[in-house]
Amino acid sequence: MEHEIREAPLNLYNPTAKDAETLLAEFIDRKKLLARILDIVQHNVPDRPQQHVIVVGPRGMGKTTLLCAIRYSVQKDDVLSQEWLPLQFDEEQYGIGDLADFWLEALRHLEIELKATQSKVDQLLNEASDKLAQHAQDVFFELLALSGRRALLLVDNINDLFAAIDDGIALNQLRALWMTDPRMMVIGATPSHFDEVSAVDQAFHDFFRIFYLDRLTQEELEAFLRHLAEMRGDAQVIHAIEHEPQRIAAMRILTGGNPRLVMLGYRVLKEGFDGDVRRDLERLLDECTPFFKHRIESLAKEARRTFDAIARRWDPVTVDDIRVELRKPSNYISAQIKRLIAEGFIEAISGEKKKRYQVSERFYKVYYLMRYSREGRRLRWLVNFMQVFYARRNDRRWARRLDKALSEPLAVNPAAYEQTRLAGISLFDLNKMEEGVALLMRGLLLDPEDRYGRHVLNQFWRDALPVAAEQIAVNNNSTASDNLRQAITETLLTKAAGGEHEAVLDALLALDESAQQPFEVLILALQALNDRSVLQHIAREKRDVVLDVMASIAPEDGFDAKKDGTN
């Protein structure tokens, strides 16, 4: 069995194709939620109304996998399997158009589970009665009674099912049945809230117990990857978890902790490459392109235009931000946005007087920025920053250089300091970076009360930093520039972590806009330390990094990224 799991495909889009052993062995990230739902199943006794459940989560968050895990767990449990017969509907139910279709489909699944030799469905269809729905329901429960068990309906995309059968009467009939009949429990899944459940005047308002699938935290993501790698014997993935933290952190931030995308990332980690976050990102984008293109092409023209206007902007937008571009009145744009929210493409940002909107699926937004927007350049700067920032905890080269610089004697006189300054500036000659970095790091950590030391620092910020930023921008794709960017980013983070927040922020804000871009995350982190509202107006993937930077450079403020951040 262990060999079979190692060789089994990941099945990113079709978890129902996995056998029970493989799926349950890989199912670790939602175990607590699975246990809570199974507890509800267990306590739904036959002599009282049943508690029904809906699970809400964006696409790729593991809804179908969870339904499969519920089904297999019930089937393998000695007690539950005697009481319940799980019937799992397909993820897409294109053939269901009314209540009769629903009961016929439920009957088909029941016949398959009971291995019926003759189909009652064909007989019912031949009758062509105007009471087909009621007849199909009656036959369903007659056949269920012969099994001696109750039905556990597992309905993926239950929002689409409700929309398909809603004729003004059907949903009320289902509610009346499910509220009183103990022979059936329903566990549904949906990518977002929908009117039939959330609107106060609808049949199923306040009917279901609702659970939410949250994105994976960094700890959950690492545990998931490690567990999968150990089961499959993938040493390359375990090595990445332990020695390339920048790749794992970037994966969580850019994918939004979406389990399906994390599985794609697993394949990238398994194939190795060279630990470069940008190459990981490009590979993930290539893997997702067919899926993302299909989704956007499914939208109507005006909804697609509205989505495009929102997706091309990195940070959340208001209706006014896109009204001029779309050349439509605000109420028309608001109607399109409402439709996009209902279909799970867009989400509103809470806590603002004027609502802001953003793409709901984080990596979809990343894909759009990289493929279709000029904002993609800023995203590349974010990836470059993450490459340096998250590698710091395992990369001791800078600590060794700093130790060496601090241990070497340096005379305290103007000439020596001038020499140090010039050596530091020579760092920004791409060919002399290694020669100047240690002295530069030392110059930044000289006694702040020493006027000569202060002179060196001021000279650095005034003369060297603009040169560095310009060369980084010009040479973004060169290996030397990568090393230079790492040196400058490390220097800025070291100085900021030393308590000189204002000095670093003032120096960065003095640069022109293009030169600021490589340091945007650090600028935002320094600004947010003074004003937390900054966090409300920036994209989620930027905000995650900003929060981590804030916790890194201001631990003495008691700042906690998990507590103070919002998602």
Side-chain angles (χ1 to χ4, degrees), residues 275-294:
D276 190 286
V277 173
R278 289 167 301 181
R279 289 187 178 88
D280 290 350
L281 174 60
E282 288 295 337
R283 175 64 189 277
L284 283 171
L285 289 171
D286 287 341
E287 294 268 9
C288 292
T289 292
F291 173 71
F292 286 153
K293 287 187 68 175
H294 172 73

Side-chain angles (χ1 to χ4, degrees), residues 137-193:
Q137 176 185 321
D138 293 341
V139 172
F140 175 88
F141 282 117
E142 290 170 6
L143 187 58
L144 182 65
L146 295 177
S147 74
R149 288 178 282 177
R150 296 187 287 156
L152 179 63
L153 292 193
L154 304 169
V155 185
D156 215 342
N157 293 320
I158 196 171
N159 54 309
D160 292 337
L161 172 68
F162 280 2
I165 69 176
D166 185 13
D167 59 5
I169 300 175
L171 293 185
N172 287 292
Q173 290 176 335
L174 277 183
R175 179 187 174 108
L177 175 70
W178 293 350
M179 187 163 52
T180 58
D181 197 318
R183 293 175 293 176
M184 176 179 291
M185 175 186 176
V186 178
I187 301 177
T190 175
S192 60
H193 279 282

Side-chain angles (χ1 to χ4, degrees), residues 8-161:
L10 291 175
N11 281 322
L12 302 174
Y13 299 99
N14 188 22
T16 56
K18 294 182 180 181
D19 61 78
E21 295 295 333
T22 300
L23 187 137
L24 291 176
E26 294 178 352
F27 190 85
I28 66 165
D29 52 308
R30 310 292 189 190
K31 275 191 172 180
K32 291 182 179 179
L33 178 56
L34 173 62
R36 293 178 68 185
I37 293 176
L38 291 176
D39 184 67
I40 294 174
V41 176
Q42 184 177 6
H43 285 86
N44 268 345
V45 294
D47 59 351
R48 64 185 182 191
Q50 306 296 285
Q51 171 70 73
H52 304 278
V53 170
I54 278 185
V55 177
V56 180
R59 289 173 175 83
M61 292 298 285
K63 299 185 298 299
T64 305
T65 301
L66 176 62
L67 294 180
C68 288
I70 294 170
R71 173 189 173 191
Y72 294 146
S73 297
V74 170
Q75 291 173 339
K76 291 171 70 68
D77 187 280
D78 292 338
V79 176
L80 292 179
S81 62
Q82 295 298 313
E83 180 74 18
W84 293 98
L85 185 64
L87 305 176
Q88 186 170 1
F89 281 50
D90 296 331
E91 187 173 356
E92 288 84 21
Q93 295 289 337
Y94 300 126
I96 296 180
D98 57 21
L99 188 57
D101 287 332
F102 166 75
W103 283 113
L104 290 170
E105 187 65 18
L107 182 55
R108 288 188 185 97
H109 285 290
L110 180 58
E111 290 177 337
I112 291 171
E113 286 297 319
L114 297 180
K115 298 181 174 58
T117 56
Q118 292 184 333
S119 175
K120 298 285 187 180
V121 173
D122 294 336
Q123 180 181 340
L124 287 165
L125 287 172
N126 288 331
E127 293 177 2
S129 168
D130 58 358
K131 295 184 178 180
L132 179 59
Q134 185 62 51
H135 290 167
Q137 176 185 321
D138 293 341
V139 172
F140 175 88
F141 282 117
E142 290 170 6
L143 187 58
L144 182 65
L146 295 177
S147 74
R149 288 178 282 177
R150 296 187 287 156
L152 179 63
L153 292 193
L154 304 169
V155 185
D156 215 342
N157 293 320
I158 196 171
N159 54 309
D160 292 337
L161 172 68

Side-chain angles (χ1 to χ4, degrees), residues 505-549:
L505 181 59
D506 290 346
L508 290 171
L509 292 179
L511 304 174
D512 62 39
E513 185 176 353
S514 62
Q516 288 179 15
Q517 287 182 1
F519 312 109
E520 180 183 17
V521 171
L522 182 55
I523 292 172
L524 290 169
L526 293 168
Q527 291 174 330
L529 286 173
N530 296 324
D531 180 7
R532 295 291 196 273
S533 68
V534 170
L535 298 171
Q536 299 176 8
H537 301 283
I538 60 178
R540 293 165 298 178
E541 54 276 5
K542 265 193 300 190
R543 188 175 65 229
D544 280 358
V545 187
V546 167
L547 290 168
D548 287 342
V549 172

Side-chain angles (χ1 to χ4, degrees), residues 444-459:
L444 290 175
L445 296 177
L446 287 170
D447 181 359
E449 300 301 322
D450 189 300
R451 63 189 181 94
Y452 294 118
R454 178 61 61 187
H455 171 73
V456 173
L457 296 180
N458 288 338
Q459 286 291 320

